[in-house]
Amino acid sequence: MAKGLPTRAENYSEWYNEIVKRAGLAENSAVRGCMVIKPYGFAIWEKMQRALDDMFKETGHVNAYFPLFVPKSFLEKEEEHAEGFAKECAVVTHYRLKANPDGKGLIVDPAAKLEEELIVRPTSEAVIWNTYKNWIQSWRDLPLLINQWCNIVRWEMRTRLFLRTAEFLWQEGHTAHATEQEAVEEAERMLEVYATFAEQWIGLPVIRGVKTPNERFAGAIETYCIEAMMQDGKALQAGTSHFLGQNFAKAFDVKFVNKENQLEYAWATSWGVTTRMIGALIMAHSDDNGLVLPPKLAPIQVVIVPIYKSPEDLASISEKVAPIVDELKAAGISVKYDDDDQQRSGWKFAEYELKGVPVRLGVGMRDLEAGTVEVARRDTLSKESRPLEGIVDHVNGLLDEIQANIYKKALAFREENTFRVDTWDEFKEQIEKGGFISAHWDGTAETEEAVKNETKATIRCIPLNAAAEAGKDVYSGKESARRVIFARAY
RNA sequence: CGGGGCGUAGCACAGCCUGGUAGUGCGCACGGUUUGGGACCGUGAGGCCGCAAGUUCGAAUCUUGCCGCCCCGACCA
């Protein structure tokens, strides 16, 4: 076990916080509620960005950039949207500071008050649809498929590294379409992109679903989501995709002329995933020794640690290892040969385990003589001695195996902790133990609210693949057509 | 914004109750011995004790007021 790292069983949230800090992913900043993403954490984000961006491009999207500031009047235009975000907005009121006449330091120059306040974007629908108004005239201008990578600010009272901070990084896709059907298909397509990314890259099984009206994005007609289970049995929303109908087109007067020469409002979607996915990755796979990274997102996939006594030994190990490093690189594997003389091998083993490096190769003098290498995998913590010959192929296969294994493990965990519940007593008992509860819901906001008040559990989603099944609401006893997923959530 | 806790070296903390000018561990620097799972010994550097005012001969310690951070709740990706 890592030195002094709290265990998941002892204190799950402290375990999480410590992993984030000790693995060098992020730390709290001097600015309240904001985080500093450190190089190792940012490297994971860069890998996520790369993979997602490729998927966005493959589905026909292009990147652009819109301003950080949203004039208050823009935000106001779509009423529900405005209401939903109003209570968490940072507002710019002035554009200048000046020397404090009463002493040292600076004060806000009262003479430099902005005519109209600017909101630091909590999301960009308003700015973007205000822009789209000028870009869209004809059906020939559609669909408009644009994404941007940026930061946003949502003034949170209580923050946690990666999971909830006042400022965070994300991507937001904003598309405009000529027909309702096309927009709905886009929202569903992007949800599937997210689900694929979560499952195949993060190794995180997700439930695809739609939100209840209560949980919907402010201004959306339908919110699709992917929900994942963390190791403490709580749910975490890993991505959302919205069908916005014509709400924003109407608010910003975005009309186009269709093939019949008639004016119509454009149909919209928006979709986003955030740096929160890094939190999901940590909480889904890591163990009491530290981080466990899926090979596809690991900044370092393979670390090679030389084990030696004298500088001469190190030299001969380095000589033997050099071609292997080259071969691994040639095979597209990111590898680090850690010949740093400042730290001992035992220290390095522990350190790379804490950092979640999927595969570690240990090479010592004994290996040199025997033509072997010690192969250690992070996900199972198992070690074996293998012939140096053919090691690159072996590692390549091993990375795939680890990627598959951590997904399998997470899926098995979710299945073991998902319960079909049909009585209210059972519901209350189970929710205390954690996990997902699949239960009947009568479709009313009243019941949803009552369940939340009594148990802190919310409806995470109505699964897209939910089979029609007549039943009785677990709380109210009223008629229900299908089961939904209840859980306590992050 | 309500309830609780905490601000002392880069980090984690002790000292405060019972006032006398600051200590431990990790880390850091140097030297040596070590090296197949977080080495050990020795020497050394490093602090306006969150800020401000008050009490006192004297304040990290007592009083008051600020500021900041963390945890628990309501809100949220």
Side-chain angles (χ1 to χ4, degrees):
Chain A
M1 189 170 303
K3 209 197 261 171
L5 187 69
T7 65
R8 288 162 292 178
E10 274 165 18
N11 188 338
Y12 192 83
S13 65
E14 202 180 320
W15 164 82
Y16 172 83
N17 289 336
E18 284 298 312
I19 284 196
V20 171
K21 287 179 200 153
R22 292 200 204 187
L25 301 177
E27 60 188 39
N28 283 308
S29 72
V31 184
R32 182 220 270 274
C34 297
M35 65 178 159
V36 173
I37 303 176
K38 298 177 76 175
Y40 194 59
F42 201 79
I44 296 172
W45 179 238
E46 286 177 316
K47 288 214 150 193
M48 289 179 161
Q49 282 184 299
R50 172 69 66 90
L52 283 164
D53 203 62
D54 285 348
M55 292 166 98
F56 298 158
K57 301 277 168 61
E58 274 165 31
T59 43
H61 303 85
V62 290
N63 286 330
Y65 186 79
F66 295 86
L68 172 67
F69 301 117
V70 185
K72 187 160 73 75
S73 59
F74 288 16
L75 196 72
E76 283 164 352
K77 284 193 180 173
E78 211 293 327
E79 204 174 335
E80 260 186 55
H81 183 68
E83 255 175 57
F85 284 103
K87 55 194 175 301
E88 50 185 352
C89 286
V91 184
V92 180
T93 55
H94 292 75
Y95 60 86
R96 192 163 64 208
L97 298 172
K98 65 174 190 179
N100 187 345
D102 299 336
K104 50 190 166 147
L106 298 168
I107 59 164
V108 172
D109 186 344
K113 192 162 164 31
L114 286 169
E115 197 93 341
E116 178 182 357
E117 292 93 342
L118 296 172
I119 314 303
V120 181
R121 65 179 161 221
T123 179
S124 299
E125 276 79 2
V127 174
I128 289 179
W129 278 83
N130 180 71
T131 308
Y132 282 1
K133 178 181 164 62
N134 302 322
W135 292 1
I136 297 170
Q137 272 104 43
S138 149
W139 65 274
R140 293 173 205 275
D141 297 324
L142 297 173
L144 193 52
L145 305 173
I146 291 181
N147 175 66
Q148 82 167 337
W149 289 95
C150 65
N151 59 339
I152 58 176
V153 168
R154 295 182 186 174
W155 211 260
E156 296 293 342
M157 313 242 199
R158 251 191 91 193
T159 60
R160 291 193 67 192
L161 292 170
F162 290 119
L163 298 175
R164 173 158 303 111
T165 46
E167 181 194 14
F168 55 93
L169 305 182
W170 80 343
Q171 69 47 229
E172 47 180 328
H174 294 273
T175 67
H177 304 265
T179 66
E180 173 173 17
Q181 191 197 339
E182 202 185 296
V184 169
E185 281 168 8
E186 166 77 3
E188 288 173 351
R189 177 181 311 116
M190 297 322 287
L191 185 81
E192 196 51 37
V193 164
Y194 290 158
T196 301
F197 175 76
E199 296 183 339
Q200 295 186 6
W201 291 75
I202 308 178
L204 183 69
V206 293
I207 296 178
R208 299 147 173 82
V210 296
K211 287 292 187 188
T212 63
N214 254 341
E215 302 271 332
R216 232 175 244 157
F217 175 77
I221 305 290
E222 188 84 276
T223 288
Y224 300 83
C225 63
I226 51 174
E227 292 284 331
M229 186 186 290
M230 303 295 102
Q231 288 182 74
D232 60 353
K234 285 172 81 174
L236 185 126
Q237 179 178 304
T240 53
S241 173
H242 315 289
F243 168 59
L244 302 172
Q246 293 173 309
N247 291 349
F248 285 90
K250 285 175 181 165
F252 291 90
D253 195 31
V254 182
K255 291 184 214 160
F256 69 96
V257 179
N258 66 19
K259 291 178 187 173
E260 284 77 45
N261 197 31
Q262 292 160 329
L263 271 181
E264 274 189 68
Y265 287 113
W267 297 86
T269 81
S270 68
W271 27 274
V273 292
T274 76
T275 37
R276 180 184 238 199
M277 286 191 303
I278 297 173
L281 182 161
I282 298 162
M283 287 200 290
H285 303 311
S286 300
D287 62 23
D288 295 342
N289 291 290
L291 198 57
V292 174
L293 291 173
K296 282 185 172 179
L297 294 174
I300 302 167
Q301 293 173 306
V302 178
V303 64
I304 305 177
V305 178
I307 299 147
Y308 61 95
K309 293 196 170 81
S310 66
E312 293 73 28
D313 288 355
L314 175 59
S316 45
I317 292 168
S318 296
E319 195 184 344
K320 193 78 180 175
V321 163
I324 297 170
V325 170
D326 291 343
E327 260 188 85
L328 285 166
K329 281 184 183 162
I333 296 168
S334 60
V335 56
K336 174 174 175 178
Y337 174 52
D338 187 353
D339 61 351
D340 181 357
D341 194 35
Q342 305 300 304
Q343 234 65 50
R344 295 152 51 107
S345 53
W347 190 92
K348 291 177 187 174
F349 294 169
E351 185 66 11
Y352 290 112
E353 262 159 31
L354 181 62
K355 294 197 153 206
V357 175
V359 173
R360 184 184 74 236
L361 303 181
V363 182
M365 294 310 285
R366 294 209 298 265
D367 291 302
L368 247 49
E369 276 160 38
T372 58
V373 54
E374 184 188 74
V375 182
R377 54 187 279 187
R378 179 62 184 89
D379 61 332
T380 58
L381 291 169
S382 57
K383 289 195 291 200
E384 60 168 346
S385 189
R386 300 214 34 116
L388 203 55
E389 184 83 28
I391 195 65
V392 172
D393 285 345
H394 177 70
V395 165
N396 224 336
L398 193 54
L399 289 170
D400 290 344
E401 198 181 319
I402 292 171
Q403 182 78 36
N405 183 52
I406 63 173
Y407 174 80
K408 222 169 65 192
K409 228 159 91 181
L411 182 60
F413 181 86
R414 189 186 76 190
E415 282 170 354
E416 281 160 26
N417 290 284
T418 300
F419 308 95
R420 284 166 74 91
V421 169
D422 292 310
T423 70
W424 183 236
D425 282 345
E426 205 188 326
F427 187 105
K428 283 189 289 190
E429 199 186 317
Q430 189 52 247
I431 204 71
E432 291 303 323
K433 296 185 203 154
F436 286 1
I437 291 180
S438 175
H440 277 284
W441 173 53
D442 62 19
T444 68
E446 292 73 45
T447 305
E448 189 181 6
E449 197 60 31
V451 170
K452 185 178 175 184
N453 289 339
E454 289 193 34
T455 64
K456 291 179 196 158
T458 50
I459 298 177
R460 299 322 303 157
C461 69
I462 303 160
L464 289 179
N465 62 1
E469 175 194 317
K472 305 264 190 237
D473 182 293
V474 71
Y475 182 83
S476 70
K478 291 188 209 155
E479 297 295 324
S480 156
R482 68 180 59 75
R483 289 175 185 271
V484 301
I485 301 294
F486 288 90
R488 287 185 181 155
Y490 277 97

